[in-house]
Amino acid sequence: MKTYKMSKEKFPEFVELIKTKGKLYGPVKQKEKYSFEEINDHSDLDFDYQRTVISPKKFLTPPRYNTLRFVKFGQTDVFPDDELQIVLGVHPCDIHAIKILDRLFLGNIKDPYYAKRRENLIIIGHSCLPDENCVCQSTGTDMVEDGFDMFFTELKDYFLVWVGSDKGLSIAIDAGDLLNETISEEEIQEYVRWQQDRSTMFKKEIPSFKYLADIIHLNYDSNVWEQFGEKCLSCGTCSLVCPTCNCFNVNDKISMNAEEGFRERMLDSCTLPHFSMVAGGHDFRPDRTSRLKLYFTHKLKEYIGKYGQPSCVGCGRCIAYCPVDINVISVSEALLEEVCKKVEEC
Ligand code: SF4
Ligand code: SF4
């Protein structure tokens, strides 16, 4: 991997350069929250953020879009257009989440809509410092070594810039002398010190994250799930904000004269009522408890069986946004406590 240095005063010029390559998005502060928005000027960008409400998954699996158009005697695919989208300022946990989505949507059965968007997406990562809800150290996703095209680590008056792909290298070549290949020993040491300091700033952890799959297995019939089920509002916020949640529903919209229509795909959530309802009206998970159990067992246990890792990247969004405090920490704490009760130690 190639590494460069860029002085902060050259960054606005770099933003102008990448704007010539496609539509640029980055973190923008809106009231007290952040979201990825289109960037017209470098001053719109605000890198002093911990998490956006919606992760960059919105560029790959938008909340709602058409996949097919029907006409009377046929149908055509509706693919996103070819315009390149560049997302600047993506944090390590969200890059790990995109790697999880890639594995799912670009695996054995390739999703053509995802594949097209992914091909046209450039990911430029940015370093971050944790707040009280970041638990990416527990999930081992606080640092990232691949899955990005470029990655900027912000130090005193310069960035260290990692190039992670051919697309990133092509931008680096075009950037010319905005990037400097000479990095001194002192600058490397500053980077190492920054990493060490950052690793001491995490305030929360997910207890026994490594053993959570077993802990969930042991507690499959525990009444802890009912306690959380009682509290859950079935609002679906947890799925909407989680960067790895990707369930969707499909709906056909036909015109009144039945001459044309669209097939629409929209994000769904396993915590919403009717998520598990099938034709004929039978609902496999009519109660909040079973839906919530599905959410957490799928994310923290079943995913490991299939992909070798859980699908939680520790971004802290469920911790920050669930209105009744149901999240990876509260659930794992409660389940661990149940195990401790049984074995009378911990
Ligand atoms: S767990 Fe929280 S965010 Fe998720 S559906 Fe229930 S109340 Fe909403
Ligand atoms: S489960 Fe919570 S902390 Fe884990 S990735 Fe999803 S929103 Fe982030």
Side-chain angles (χ1 to χ4, degrees):
M1 193 185 304
K2 231 169 157 31
T3 313
Y4 297 91
K5 189 174 76 175
M6 181 187 289
S7 84
K8 283 191 179 170
E9 62 191 27
K10 293 197 169 161
F11 189 70
E13 225 179 303
F14 177 74
V15 172
E16 287 308 309
L17 169 81
I18 50 176
K19 265 172 53 193
T20 63
K21 299 185 179 298
K23 208 176 245 185
L24 179 65
Y25 296 86
V28 171
K29 192 170 187 182
Q30 299 193 320
K31 297 196 177 150
E32 290 314 305
K33 306 257 190 304
Y34 289 84
S35 60
F36 283 101
E37 300 293 339
E38 194 175 344
I39 301 299
N40 294 311
D41 187 82
H42 74 91
S43 61
D44 299 340
L45 288 160
D46 187 342
F47 292 122
D48 192 17
Y49 84 104
Q50 270 76 31
R51 66 187 62 75
T52 51
V53 178
I54 306 293
S55 80
K57 79 175 176 184
K58 71 177 183 180
F59 298 106
L60 295 164
T61 56
R64 191 178 276 264
Y65 63 95
N66 291 327
T67 56
L68 277 183
R69 177 171 181 264
F70 310 116
V71 286
K72 201 165 181 185
F73 297 108
Q75 62 183 54
T76 44
D77 281 311
V78 181
F79 282 116
D81 61 33
D82 273 327
E83 189 180 31
L84 208 58
Q85 296 195 311
I86 303 152
V87 194
L88 181 58
V90 186
H91 288 169
C93 61
D94 281 342
I95 295 175
H96 278 281
I98 292 172
K99 286 170 65 179
I100 287 174
L101 295 178
D102 283 354
R103 229 169 284 145
L104 185 74
F105 286 110
L106 304 177
N108 291 344
I109 303 170
K110 210 178 249 188
D111 180 319
Y113 308 100
Y114 183 96
K116 185 90 192 285
R117 288 190 170 84
R118 187 69 181 90
E119 203 182 292
N120 288 330
L121 187 69
I122 291 185
I123 299 169
I124 304 184
H126 191 279
S127 57
C128 51
L129 295 175
D131 73 354
E132 70 283 1
N133 292 326
C134 291
V135 284
C136 55
Q137 202 173 39
S138 296
T139 52
T141 48
D142 52 328
M143 289 166 72
V144 69
E145 285 168 4
D146 60 1
F148 54 81
D149 298 294
M150 295 178 98
F151 191 95
F152 281 62
T153 297
E154 185 172 356
L155 297 170
K156 270 183 207 145
D157 56 353
Y158 63 93
F159 297 99
L160 285 185
V161 184
W162 281 266
V163 171
S165 72
D166 289 347
K167 286 183 201 164
L169 189 59
S170 152
I171 295 176
I173 291 167
D174 289 353
D177 59 10
L178 296 180
L179 290 166
N180 185 343
E181 280 189 67
T182 313
I183 300 168
S184 68
E185 187 60 33
E186 203 182 305
E187 284 158 347
I188 292 170
Q189 279 174 16
E190 191 192 345
Y191 170 67
V192 173
R193 270 197 306 278
W194 179 85
Q195 281 290 13
Q196 285 168 342
D197 290 347
R198 178 179 181 263
S199 71
T200 64
M201 292 178 188
F202 289 86
K203 298 184 180 74
K204 282 184 187 156
E205 58 174 13
I206 305 174
S208 298
F209 186 74
K210 264 209 246 167
Y211 311 107
L212 261 186
D214 294 332
I215 292 169
I216 288 175
H217 183 73
L218 290 170
N219 279 296
Y220 195 74
D221 295 318
S222 161
N223 64 5
V224 160
W225 297 111
E226 263 114 65
Q227 288 160 21
F228 283 115
E230 294 262 300
K231 277 171 54 176
C232 176
L233 306 172
S234 278
C235 64
T237 301
C238 44
S239 304
L240 193 67
V241 300
C242 179
T244 64
C245 274
N246 55 71
C247 286
F248 58 82
N249 201 351
V250 174
N251 186 26
D252 285 348
K253 299 179 296 184
I254 313 287
S255 66
M256 289 295 278
N257 61 5
E259 296 272 313
E260 65 168 344
F262 287 95
R263 177 159 295 167
E264 183 185 56
R265 201 191 262 199
M266 62 210 123
L267 278 184
D268 203 348
S269 166
C270 58
T271 59
L272 291 176
H274 311 310
F275 177 82
S276 302
M277 186 177 277
V278 292
H282 181 71
D283 192 342
F284 286 92
R285 295 185 189 85
D287 56 290
R288 295 185 308 247
T289 298
S290 57
R291 294 197 295 271
L292 205 58
K293 185 150 69 169
L294 171 70
Y295 178 91
F296 284 102
T297 49
H298 182 235
K299 200 169 275 302
L300 302 172
K301 177 176 176 291
E302 300 306 328
Y303 222 86
I304 300 177
K306 188 135 196 220
Y307 296 102
Q309 68 171 114
S311 72
C312 172
V313 294
C315 70
R317 288 184 176 91
C318 57
I319 305 166
Y321 302 125
C322 171
V324 292
D325 203 24
I326 301 174
N327 54 59
V328 279
I329 296 184
S330 59
V331 169
S332 49
E333 273 175 358
L335 294 175
L336 187 61
E337 212 178 297
E338 284 298 290
V339 173
C340 291
K341 273 191 218 156
K342 282 181 202 153
V343 298
E344 289 176 357
E345 51 185 81
C346 294

